[in-house]
Amino acid sequence: MGSALSARYGARPVVMAGGLLASLGLLLASFSVKISHLYLSIGLISGFGWALVFTPSTAAVSDYFQKRRALAMGLAVSGAGVSSLVFSPLFQLLADSYGWRGALLVVSAMSLNLVASAALLRPLTMEGDGQPDLQAQDSKWRQTLASLFALELLRQGRFLRYVLAFVLVDAGYFVPYAHLVAHAREEGCDEYQAAFIMAAAAVADMFGRIWAGWLADTAVCCRLVHHLTLWTVLTGVSLALVPLGHGFAALVSLGLCYGFFAGALVPLQFASLAEIVGADSVLGGIGLMHMLESVGALVGTPLSGWLRDMTGNYTASFLTAGAFLLAGSATLLTLPDYFSCSRPSQTKAETLTGPPDHQAFELRGLPQQDRA
């Protein structure tokens, strides 16, 4: 939905609406008296708002940058590592000071900063590309909806294989967030040590996102999808090795490895999508990819919990999670021209007008006399 609305109205108003919905959901959650109220407020309203924020914002970064797209994406998504480290103790402090209802009110107010941030998403229009005239493109509402939701991508084999790879990746990727703390407690760590392991992984995640983006942009002989495969394999291996960690020091080391590798693959997932579907289809591709890959995220964590219940420990859970990521990396190998080292050529619009860096877009937004 975020992709479709952004394609029709632009990223700025959609992200601003998402920020308002995210704040509204948290505000309503502070008045909850039943768990079902939290499902509707945070789960439905805030969740929908966050979706409207994330997909158009990520696609906007891809539009702004072409030469250093991976690094830009790494910097853009590195905020998740910062928030993972800072926000948990911050929210605990707010809850201790104002109660959980007061804490949600404060977080609701903080979420309104999404609206201000969205206002900075300047609409960029490339030369020769006016605003999309959907009625002129197609008068039939079914075909118009298909265009809005980029359903034509579902007929591209390379895109479907790319999505399948991340369905498998997501089935294992989120397992540590749900079960690493519990596994650490079973290995004899106290609650503060277990929390420190996740904090260390969050810090490593932040640096991994920035480092991987920089490395991918400076590499000459490899494509982005090759870097993505490498980090996916390393993430899978680090997850499979978690059961071998006995004691606090070993688990911290494994947590650091997992955090760095898992963070590294995130910006490359979005940056590589431009190689798969073309820069002009990134917005619709991100939306469809998120919708379809969520199947893996929904299945993977409950499956790992079920394996824990069946076996009595988390060994099978982490081994299975690692196997899912390795299977996802193997799926990437089946992409067309995967073993070619030459990067795909620019899209037609980019070739005619030059690389879409920020300055170039700013000049295109000026009247002709001002450009002169």
Side-chain angles (χ1 to χ4, degrees):
M1 186 67 70
S3 297
L5 292 173
S6 184
R8 178 64 179 87
Y9 301 106
R12 179 185 288 173
V14 174
V15 177
M16 292 178 75
L20 289 172
L21 287 174
S23 177
L24 176 62
L26 292 166
L27 174 64
L28 295 176
S30 66
F31 298 99
S32 298
V33 294
K34 296 180 180 179
I35 189 68
S36 58
H37 296 166
L38 295 177
Y39 292 151
L40 294 173
S41 57
I42 295 181
L44 183 62
I45 300 176
S46 290
F48 185 69
W50 292 326
L52 295 184
V53 168
F54 186 80
T55 300
S57 300
T58 307
V61 175
S62 182
D63 287 339
Y64 283 138
F65 298 90
Q66 192 265 331
K67 288 184 177 180
R68 298 182 179 179
R69 181 176 287 150
L71 176 58
M73 197 70 70
L75 291 169
V77 298
S78 63
V82 177
S83 64
S84 297
L85 175 66
V86 173
F87 198 79
S88 291
L90 173 62
F91 189 82
Q92 187 61 52
L93 175 63
L94 292 174
D96 292 341
S97 302
Y98 305 108
W100 66 269
R101 296 182 187 274
L104 286 174
L105 286 174
V106 174
V107 177
S108 174
M110 293 171 58
S111 295
L112 289 175
N113 286 287
L114 291 170
V115 180
S117 300
L120 302 177
L121 293 175
R122 181 174 180 177
L124 305 180
T125 303
M126 301 178 67
E127 280 187 3
D129 292 343
Q131 293 298 322
D133 186 355
L134 298 177
Q135 293 181 352
Q137 291 174 5
D138 205 315
S139 59
K140 297 181 179 180
W141 67 271
R142 291 184 180 180
Q143 295 183 3
T144 301
L145 286 177
S147 177
L148 279 173
F149 287 94
L151 297 182
E152 67 276 2
L153 292 177
L154 297 178
R155 296 196 296 267
Q156 295 186 13
R158 65 167 57 203
F159 175 72
L160 292 178
R161 273 178 271 183
Y162 192 75
V163 170
L164 175 61
F166 279 97
V167 170
L168 295 170
V169 167
D170 281 12
Y173 185 92
F174 297 102
V175 169
Y177 294 98
H179 300 303
L180 184 56
V181 170
H183 173 67
R185 295 298 302 275
E186 290 187 354
E187 292 296 326
C189 299
D190 60 39
E191 58 183 0
Y192 295 102
Q193 290 177 325
F196 180 82
I197 294 172
M198 290 305 302
V203 173
D205 178 283
M206 177 183 64
F207 285 104
R209 295 178 187 222
I210 299 174
W211 168 260
W214 174 83
L215 182 64
D217 281 335
T218 56
V220 177
C221 61
C222 295
R223 293 166 52 197
L224 296 180
V225 71
H226 297 153
H227 289 261
L228 174 63
T229 306
L230 171 64
W231 296 119
T232 305
V233 169
L234 291 175
T235 305
V237 172
S238 66
L239 279 178
L241 292 177
V242 168
L244 299 180
H246 302 290
F248 175 67
L251 288 174
V252 167
S253 300
L254 290 168
L256 287 170
C257 290
Y258 166 77
F260 188 87
F261 299 149
L265 71 85
V266 173
L268 293 174
Q269 176 186 2
F270 302 112
S272 298
L273 188 62
E275 291 186 355
I276 303 299
V277 301
D280 54 343
S281 299
V282 167
L283 176 61
I286 290 177
L288 283 176
M289 179 177 66
H290 272 311
M291 183 180 71
L292 297 174
E293 71 174 325
S294 64
V295 175
L298 290 171
V299 172
T301 304
L303 175 62
S304 65
W306 178 79
L307 290 173
R308 162 64 178 81
D309 292 339
M310 293 296 100
T311 61
N313 56 57
Y314 286 102
T315 298
S317 301
F318 285 103
L319 288 175
T320 303
F324 274 126
L325 274 102
L326 294 176
S329 62
T331 305
L332 292 174
L333 300 179
T334 67
L335 292 172
D337 301 322
Y338 175 87
F339 296 98
S340 172
C341 290
S342 60
R343 297 199 177 193
S345 59
Q346 294 174 326
T347 61
K348 181 178 179 182
E350 292 173 359
T351 304
L352 292 175
T353 62
D357 56 30
H358 193 79
Q359 183 180 5
F361 275 118
E362 286 182 345
L363 291 175
R364 291 169 198 143
L366 294 175
Q368 185 66 38
Q369 64 271 22
D370 291 341
R371 291 186 214 164

